[in-house]
Amino acid sequence: MHSVPDGWKMRFLAELVSLPKTQVDPTQRSYRDQPLIAPDHVEPGTGRLISISTAAEQGAISGKYVVQAGDVVYSKIRPALRKVVLARFPGLCSADMYPLRSRNEIEPRFLQAILLGEDFSRFADSVSGRSGIPKINRSELAEYQFLLPPSEEQRRIAEVLDAVDDQIETALLEASKLRLLRSGALRRAMDPGLGLIRSVEASRFREIDGLSVDGWSAIRLGSLVSRIDAGNSPDLEDRPAASGEWGVLKVSAVGRHGFRPMENKVAPHRVLHQESLCVQPGDLIMTRANTADLVGLSCIVEEVPSNLMLCDKTLRLVVDGRKSSVEFVNLALEVDEVRTQIQIAATGTSASMKNISQSSIRALVVPYSATDMERICRLDAAHRKIISLRQAELLKLRELKQGIMEDLLIGRVRV
């Protein structure tokens, strides 16, 4: 056990921050055009804000908290996700979040690091389960205490963490550029087929039979898919399935950058385990229901650490291997010309939840080439391998930051 550094004092969080007591109406003129931070806009565990939109754009109607630049916005829902962001601009935040306003004794950037740290996470996990609901309230938040260094050392610690964050942002930018290069290469490789889709789009794809150019054609997805399996969502526990347990995928398991198996909820013993709905490596999974920009996303299942079943918002597309490959169909579903069809076909009155039917999925028009698809899959695999290496570097940087942060926050290592 290391000794407490000179000048560091044990303090309660409630002594160092203030929380708002009232909410405001986001439909009012003075608030509706302000940015609104919600839990979904914050990346778990990193402190990054991953999207920004106004209260009006989100259709917000219920009460929200006012946020000032410098506030540390913390999601009180499912605290294990560690969703914490330092506000760089004034605006609003969801009622499911706390905008913590630092008093003079604590630096906002240091406060954010504390809330992202292991010690606070353990505390939040322990108190949020008291009521059976993964949520931390104001009185529980006030119970937390931690070692507070002098202001100057807080600033130096924040500077060190900011320097690592700069490296992480550089790595994220490089990964983003690589994804753009991959997308451009895919479009160039499929260009003859995409050109055919654009040429018949005005007729709503009524006349596509017999159209071909340079070995490419535009065909219905239903001619490549022999079966579509739908899942279901019984009553589940709000935690991921551990090894040996059964789980049900969440719709967020299908992401823009691949399959995320830890996005699942454990299925209790009373829930019927259906082998026919269990996903396997190599399966092509699609979201049947999601937000307007995410509905109809697809990915290929890679590693499956547990027995995971399809949920009611996901589908499995079984590809006819005589005509095409799973990899090629997944790539064809990714291009803008097909994504646009999906978004047009998706139904629902709210942008926050759209649905696409199995018949609409089968009717999608996709680019197809029996002779070029293997080459395109090899090309894309090479691009994805490079991106994967960059992602591994990014993961190491984030692990490095977490290790440095833990040592600095308790004074084990001094700046």
Side-chain angles (χ1 to χ4, degrees):
M1 182 72 179
H2 73 284
S3 59
V4 176
D6 292 339
W8 290 49
K9 297 179 181 178
M10 189 66 73
R11 300 292 299 274
F12 281 97
L13 180 62
E15 301 173 329
L16 303 167
V17 303
S18 62
L19 280 77
K21 294 183 173 61
T22 59
Q23 298 178 2
V24 299
D25 182 354
T27 64
Q28 291 183 359
R29 183 184 298 273
S30 55
Y31 296 117
R32 64 190 184 196
D33 293 327
Q34 292 192 15
L36 168 61
I37 301 173
D40 287 348
H41 302 156
V42 182
E43 190 173 53
T46 68
R48 293 183 67 245
L49 190 65
I50 53 179
S51 65
I52 303 174
S53 56
T54 66
E57 289 169 340
Q58 296 178 50
I61 55 174
S62 59
K64 309 299 177 190
Y65 292 122
V66 172
V67 174
Q68 293 182 5
D71 286 355
V72 177
V73 183
Y74 171 73
S75 176
K76 62 185 179 182
I77 304 296
R78 299 182 69 192
L81 293 178
R82 304 190 200 189
K83 293 193 172 188
V84 190
V85 67
L86 176 61
R88 308 286 182 180
F89 47 78
L92 305 172
C93 76
S94 164
D96 289 333
M97 309 181 87
Y98 293 128
L100 305 178
R101 194 155 299 158
S102 301
R103 297 195 169 109
N104 292 335
E105 292 179 80
I106 188 167
E107 293 288 322
R109 182 68 179 82
F110 183 82
L111 172 60
Q112 183 190 27
I114 286 290
L115 298 180
L116 285 169
E118 291 287 346
D119 186 68
F120 179 76
S121 183
R122 285 192 294 269
F123 166 81
D125 283 346
S126 67
V127 299
S128 65
R130 291 175 181 173
S131 63
I133 302 171
K135 174 181 175 182
I136 184 167
N137 61 38
R138 291 171 183 249
S139 60
E140 291 165 341
L141 199 65
E143 295 175 19
Y144 182 65
Q145 54 182 332
F146 60 97
L147 281 171
L148 183 70
S151 294
E152 181 58 32
E153 190 158 3
Q154 292 179 44
R155 282 191 288 272
R156 292 199 299 268
I157 289 171
E159 288 169 359
V160 171
L161 297 177
D162 283 343
V164 184
D165 277 340
D166 288 344
Q167 295 182 53
I168 290 173
E169 287 299 322
T170 298
L172 284 167
L173 182 60
E174 290 176 355
S176 178
K177 289 179 179 177
L178 286 170
R179 290 192 183 98
L180 286 173
L181 287 171
R182 171 189 170 267
S183 179
L186 180 61
R187 288 193 62 80
R188 288 191 297 274
M190 289 187 172
D191 188 62
L194 298 179
L196 284 173
I197 291 177
R198 291 190 295 269
S199 70
V200 299
E201 192 170 6
S203 66
R204 295 296 177 125
F205 307 111
R206 285 188 294 271
E207 300 174 3
I208 63 171
D209 293 337
L211 290 176
S212 64
V213 59
D214 297 334
W216 282 83
S217 56
I219 65 175
R220 302 285 180 184
L221 181 63
S223 65
L224 300 178
V225 173
S226 58
R227 191 178 79 243
I228 298 179
D229 298 331
N232 60 48
S233 290
D235 291 333
L236 304 168
E237 296 179 17
D238 195 15
R239 66 177 178 85
S243 178
E245 292 184 309
W246 281 78
V248 176
L249 293 177
K250 294 162 53 177
V251 68
S252 53
V254 183
R256 292 191 184 279
H257 306 311
F259 182 63
R260 298 184 289 186
M262 291 310 296
E263 289 291 314
N264 71 79
K265 290 185 177 182
V266 69
H269 291 299
R270 65 178 181 276
V271 172
L272 178 64
H273 303 148
Q274 296 178 262
E275 295 279 355
S276 61
L277 298 182
C278 198
V279 298
Q280 303 292 338
D283 282 353
L284 177 58
I285 307 296
M286 174 184 273
T287 62
R288 176 194 62 79
N290 209 330
T291 58
D293 60 326
L294 298 179
V295 66
L297 278 188
S298 66
C299 69
I300 296 175
V301 175
E302 295 177 359
E303 182 181 358
V304 186
S306 188
N307 297 310
L308 300 179
M309 294 182 289
L310 296 168
C311 74
D312 63 343
K313 294 182 175 65
T314 55
L315 301 168
R316 173 169 45 213
L317 276 57
V318 180
V319 175
D320 186 342
R322 297 169 301 172
K323 297 180 180 178
S324 192
S325 69
V326 173
E327 293 83 0
F328 182 80
V329 173
N330 186 47
L331 293 176
L333 287 168
E334 181 182 328
V335 295
D336 290 344
E337 286 79 355
V338 179
R339 288 292 306 153
T340 298
Q341 295 175 58
I342 289 171
Q343 290 167 346
I344 292 172
T347 60
T349 57
S350 169
S352 62
M353 186 56 66
K354 295 287 187 179
N355 295 270
I356 185 166
S357 66
Q358 292 191 28
S359 59
S360 294
I361 292 170
R362 291 183 179 277
L364 295 172
V365 178
V366 298
Y368 177 73
S369 171
T371 55
D372 283 355
M373 65 179 176
E374 186 176 338
R375 174 183 61 83
I376 289 172
C377 290
R378 286 199 307 268
L379 173 68
D380 190 69
H383 278 279
R384 286 188 287 106
K385 183 175 182 179
I386 296 171
I387 293 171
S388 178
L389 291 172
R390 291 292 182 271
Q391 286 295 115
E393 293 172 3
L394 178 60
L395 179 60
K396 288 180 180 178
L397 275 173
R398 284 178 164 162
E399 290 174 346
L400 172 67
K401 179 194 172 183
Q402 192 68 34
I404 291 173
M405 186 169 71
E406 298 305 328
D407 285 341
L408 293 175
L409 291 181
I410 63 173
R412 183 186 292 121
V413 173
R414 308 293 297 281
V415 180

